[in-house]
Amino acid sequence: MKQAPLADKVLEGDVRATARLIRWIDDADPAALPHLAKLYRHTGRAHVIGFTGSPGVGKSTLVDKVVSQFRKENRTVGVLAIDPTSPFTGGAILGDRIRMQRHFLDEGVFIRSMATRGQFGGLTRSTADAVVVLDAMGKDVIIIETVGVGQDEVDIAHSAHTTALVTVPGMGDDIQAIKAGLMEIGDVFVVNKCDREGSGKTVRELRFMLHMSSDRHRETGWIPPIVETSASQDEGVENLHRALNEHRDFLMEHGKDEWKRRVFHRTQNQLLEILKERALERVLQKIGGPAALGKIIEDIVDRRSDPYGSADDLLRIVMGGDSI
Amino acid sequence: MKQAPLADKVLEGDVRATARLIRWIDDADPAALPHLAKLYRHTGRAHVIGFTGSPGVGKSTLVDKVVSQFRKENRTVGVLAIDPTSPFTGGAILGDRIRMQRHFLDEGVFIRSMATRGQFGGLTRSTADAVVVLDAMGKDVIIIETVGVGQDEVDIAHSAHTTALVTVPGMGDDIQAIKAGLMEIGDVFVVNKCDREGSGKTVRELRFMLHMSSDRHRETGWIPPIVETSASQDEGVENLHRALNEHRDFLMEHGKDEWKRRVFHRTQNQLLEILKERALERVLQKIGGPAALGKIIEDIVDRRSDPYGSADDLLRIVMGGDSI
């Protein structure tokens, strides 16, 4: 638990300590773990909101505008922009700089991009860790913005209290199919760029699809609103902000079971991810590191063995009686 | 190793046995494992091609047309359509039916959608397992088609020998950013719907970005071609087919190191994923299953403990001297 003061600084709201800890998380540096363990008990207060949707729907601008709305209420905001598609080009860092400019002088806003593609830790895992840090730092609202609509994005959205699903008018048939799959995770639906042709049609389609899955809403008691926005024109952002707050109020007042279910689910995922990662670390440590692993992989590549049997052999070595 | 005959049937090319084994993989059913272990040594012959790109770029139609081209060469084809966004709606199954119609009477084509969202196994893992099955079944070419451009898609693309990155003219600024991030993984670039306005501009932008990252290409010796197609109009598909074959020939003739590097990397990922999953299974087994886990999670939810320390405690219980 050396360097424990870092965690204390985060609890005091120190920006540089927070930035450093999040960078360690993004780099999958195990140095972050003792601090995270210490911070965890100070969390659970923030409203975690996920923004997801296909590339090109204008999520970044929308999030920027929503941040300003939360600031008008005097609530502090942390933004995590998750962009796994830019591992090499520094796109995430560039994005940060552009974003930071808007809220640069506002100490109530902390924005960070993450692009973790570490070998052992997944993106869902590192995002959850970063949320712990921002929550412990004292941010009232934490916004997770994802790029794309793959499984990671869905998982990340699942880990939020409130998920805003963003689309735009007329994105073609594939989008319709995806919408159908993503309907399940949306608490608030946003049709952005609503000044474009076909916005009304998209709203009607969404309403129809929501109607189709209304059994679920009868169960939870929350009917997802559909909000039309034009973030670049500053249109409808107040409505979106209100809808996000209403969902939080709903969860706290009427949706205790739903809230609890989500928190339990998220915590379970987080624990299991950490467990998998640590177990793998121990196995690699035990067999003698990358060189020994390389030999095992060569055998598989040359079909002298197979990955399924080799995994079992490795586990047997580590778990089979020997103490660490 | 009961039911070993199933693996034998797959090796004989039996469609029903193959379909069953892939369903087990998609359901994360451990029954698949002994069969996969048996099949693995019979793999390594197929040319694995990944198709990735944003939703709406027309990947499905393009893949269908490319399949027909491979069939003209008398090569057999397996297609895995990976669609994690449709866990509940049965979209994947519907897609299968529509797709199957086109190649229904052709025994040389096997098409399956996967939507695995299992708790313990990831999508990259189940895709790799399904590739093992199709390879062992004797398919000459295996096409992995992904939806979206998230981390999973990038990882899946990484596991292919050849990755085709599909885009369309004029998808907006976000797409440009993503293109930059995805440039690294493309072996063949496709501008589909090339009859649309702005196709030439998109080709020029791609060429410029490829030029920017030409250091990498000088290293490997492969300069990714840019192919314009209009899959729905049957335009340019022969060129795409030729480019895919040329990349395979390049890897086999001049790119032995690059090929080896990819195979090693893919095998390493596959082994580590299996290892993580099995380690987690053992831990859960050891502590007494879901109920015991539930208690641990409740403690974390109520901040009596934290997930990082709890993971360590669990590992200590399992690995600390007790034999299984």
Side-chain angles (χ1 to χ4, degrees):
Chain A
M1 291 277 177
K2 65 178 168 98
Q3 289 196 53
L6 187 68
D8 291 332
K9 280 186 187 163
V10 170
L11 287 173
E12 287 162 16
D14 186 282
V15 168
R16 288 177 65 181
T18 304
R20 184 183 306 164
L21 193 45
I22 288 179
R23 193 168 63 241
W24 285 354
I25 292 167
D26 204 18
D27 293 344
D29 187 331
L33 288 172
H35 303 292
L36 287 168
K38 190 168 179 186
L39 292 175
Y40 191 83
R41 290 172 207 223
H42 300 275
T43 60
R45 292 181 316 103
H47 180 205
V48 183
I49 304 172
F51 272 77
T52 193
S54 294
V57 300
K59 286 184 297 289
S60 305
T61 312
L62 198 59
V63 166
D64 276 352
K65 296 296 168 80
V66 168
V67 167
S68 301
Q69 294 291 321
F70 281 118
R71 293 300 295 139
K72 279 192 193 161
E73 297 183 283
N74 252 328
R75 294 165 75 195
T76 57
V77 187
V79 178
L80 294 169
I82 312 298
D83 186 359
T85 57
S86 300
F88 309 106
T89 56
I93 292 154
L94 181 68
D96 261 2
R97 289 203 185 133
I98 293 165
R99 286 151 165 282
M100 290 303 276
Q101 280 173 6
R102 192 188 304 268
H103 302 283
F104 186 62
L105 294 172
D106 183 354
E107 288 186 3
V109 180
F110 183 92
I111 300 177
R112 211 45 109 217
S113 292
M114 297 182 75
T116 310
R117 299 182 39 75
Q119 190 165 31
F120 303 144
L123 190 62
T124 314
R125 161 76 204 285
S126 54
T127 304
D129 287 349
V131 168
V132 164
V133 178
L134 292 182
D135 193 342
M137 186 214 195
K139 289 286 172 270
D140 299 317
V141 177
I142 298 168
I143 296 178
I144 308 169
E145 178 196 327
T146 62
V147 167
V149 288
Q151 186 178 18
D152 275 319
E153 283 74 15
V154 174
D155 287 345
I156 289 167
H158 264 297
S159 83
H161 299 123
T162 302
T163 297
L165 198 59
V166 188
T167 186
V168 291
M171 285 275 282
D173 295 338
D174 279 39
I175 294 291
Q176 301 306 324
I178 280 156
K179 262 192 221 149
L182 286 176
M183 289 307 280
E184 320 281 339
I185 64 162
D187 300 306
V188 172
F189 288 83
V190 186
V191 180
N192 194 30
K193 306 189 181 179
C194 67
D195 45 333
R196 275 198 196 170
E197 201 186 311
S199 182
K201 183 164 172 280
T202 303
V203 171
R204 281 193 300 278
E205 285 169 359
L206 280 173
R207 196 166 290 144
F208 176 74
M209 285 198 247
L210 281 170
H211 180 70
M212 297 282 285
S213 55
S214 60
D215 282 352
R216 193 176 76 96
H217 305 136
R218 225 168 283 132
E219 214 175 278
T220 64
W222 172 260
I223 297 161
I226 303 168
V227 185
E228 287 182 274
T229 61
S230 172
S232 61
Q233 315 281 316
D234 257 324
E235 263 180 57
V237 183
E238 298 90 341
N239 295 338
L240 171 57
H241 171 242
R242 194 179 314 122
L244 297 171
N245 279 346
E246 278 170 4
H247 186 250
R248 181 202 55 173
D249 294 345
F250 166 81
L251 284 177
M252 291 175 75
E253 285 164 30
H254 310 289
K256 287 242 192 298
D257 287 347
E258 174 71 6
W259 177 279
K260 247 193 122 168
R261 200 184 57 73
R262 288 192 190 201
V263 169
F264 186 92
H265 181 75
R266 185 180 55 184
T267 307
Q268 173 172 293
N269 278 351
Q270 198 176 359
L271 175 66
L272 295 182
E273 285 301 319
I274 296 169
L275 195 53
K276 279 201 288 193
E277 198 178 309
R278 304 301 287 269
L280 182 58
E281 278 166 15
R282 296 281 178 99
V283 169
L284 293 182
Q285 202 179 319
K286 186 90 177 185
I287 63 168
L293 184 67
K295 176 72 182 68
I296 293 166
I297 293 165
E298 289 291 356
D299 280 347
I300 299 171
V301 168
D302 297 339
R303 266 70 186 173
R304 283 190 295 274
S305 60
D306 69 86
Y308 313 94
S310 298
D312 278 343
D313 292 344
L314 283 172
L315 272 184
R316 216 168 291 130
I317 291 168
V318 176
M319 293 183 153
D322 280 346
S323 64
I324 307 168
Chain B
M1 292 277 178
K2 66 178 169 100
Q3 289 195 54
L6 187 69
D8 291 331
K9 279 185 187 163
V10 170
L11 288 172
E12 287 162 16
D14 184 284
V15 168
R16 288 178 64 183
T18 304
R20 184 182 305 165
L21 193 46
I22 288 179
R23 194 168 62 242
W24 287 353
I25 292 167
D26 205 17
D27 293 343
D29 187 331
L33 288 172
H35 303 292
L36 286 168
K38 190 167 176 185
L39 293 175
Y40 191 84
R41 290 171 206 224
H42 301 275
T43 61
R45 293 182 313 103
H47 180 207
V48 183
I49 304 172
F51 272 78
T52 195
S54 295
V57 299
K59 285 184 298 288
S60 305
T61 311
L62 198 60
V63 167
D64 276 352
K65 296 295 168 78
V66 168
V67 167
S68 300
Q69 294 290 322
F70 281 118
R71 293 300 295 140
K72 279 191 193 161
E73 297 183 282
N74 252 328
R75 293 165 74 197
T76 58
V77 186
V79 178
L80 294 170
I82 312 299
D83 187 358
T85 57
S86 300
F88 307 107
T89 56
I93 293 154
L94 181 67
D96 261 3
R97 290 204 184 130
I98 294 166
R99 286 150 166 281
M100 291 302 276
Q101 280 173 7
R102 194 189 302 267
H103 301 284
F104 187 63
L105 294 173
D106 183 353
E107 288 185 4
V109 179
F110 183 92
I111 300 176
R112 210 46 108 216
S113 292
M114 297 183 75
T116 309
R117 300 182 37 75
Q119 190 167 30
F120 304 143
L123 189 63
T124 314
R125 161 76 204 285
S126 53
T127 304
D129 287 350
V131 167
V132 164
V133 178
L134 293 182
D135 192 341
M137 187 212 193
K139 289 288 173 270
D140 299 317
V141 177
I142 299 169
I143 296 178
I144 307 170
E145 178 196 329
T146 63
V147 167
V149 288
Q151 186 179 18
D152 275 319
E153 284 73 16
V154 173
D155 287 344
I156 290 167
H158 265 297
S159 83
H161 299 122
T162 302
T163 297
L165 198 58
V166 188
T167 186
V168 292
M171 285 275 283
D173 294 339
D174 279 38
I175 294 292
Q176 301 304 324
I178 281 157
K179 261 191 222 149
L182 287 176
M183 288 308 280
E184 320 283 338
I185 64 164
D187 301 306
V188 173
F189 288 83
V190 185
V191 179
N192 194 30
K193 306 189 182 181
C194 67
D195 44 335
R196 277 198 196 169
E197 202 186 310
S199 182
K201 183 164 173 277
T202 302
V203 170
R204 281 193 301 277
E205 284 169 0
L206 281 173
R207 195 166 290 144
F208 177 72
M209 285 199 249
L210 280 170
H211 180 70
M212 296 282 285
S213 56
S214 60
D215 281 353
R216 194 177 73 97
H217 305 136
R218 225 168 283 131
E219 212 176 278
T220 64
W222 173 259
I223 297 161
I226 302 168
V227 185
E228 287 183 274
T229 60
S230 171
S232 61
Q233 315 282 317
D234 258 325
E235 263 180 58
V237 183
E238 298 89 342
N239 294 339
L240 172 57
H241 172 242
R242 194 180 313 121
L244 296 170
N245 279 346
E246 278 170 4
H247 186 250
R248 181 202 55 175
D249 294 345
F250 166 81
L251 284 177
M252 291 175 74
E253 286 164 30
H254 310 287
K256 286 242 193 297
D257 286 347
E258 174 72 5
W259 176 281
K260 246 192 125 169
R261 199 185 59 73
R262 289 192 189 201
V263 169
F264 186 92
H265 181 75
R266 186 180 55 184
T267 306
Q268 174 172 290
N269 279 350
Q270 197 176 0
L271 175 64
L272 294 182
E273 285 300 319
I274 295 170
L275 195 52
K276 279 201 286 193
E277 197 179 311
R278 303 302 288 268
L280 182 58
E281 278 165 15
R282 296 282 178 100
V283 170
L284 294 181
Q285 202 179 319
K286 187 92 178 183
I287 64 167
L293 185 67
K295 176 75 184 66
I296 293 165
I297 293 165
E298 289 291 357
D299 281 347
I300 300 170
V301 168
D302 298 338
R303 266 69 187 176
R304 284 190 296 273
S305 60
D306 69 86
Y308 313 95
S310 299
D312 278 344
D313 292 344
L314 284 172
L315 271 185
R316 217 168 290 130
I317 291 169
V318 176
M319 293 182 154
D322 280 345
S323 66
I324 307 171

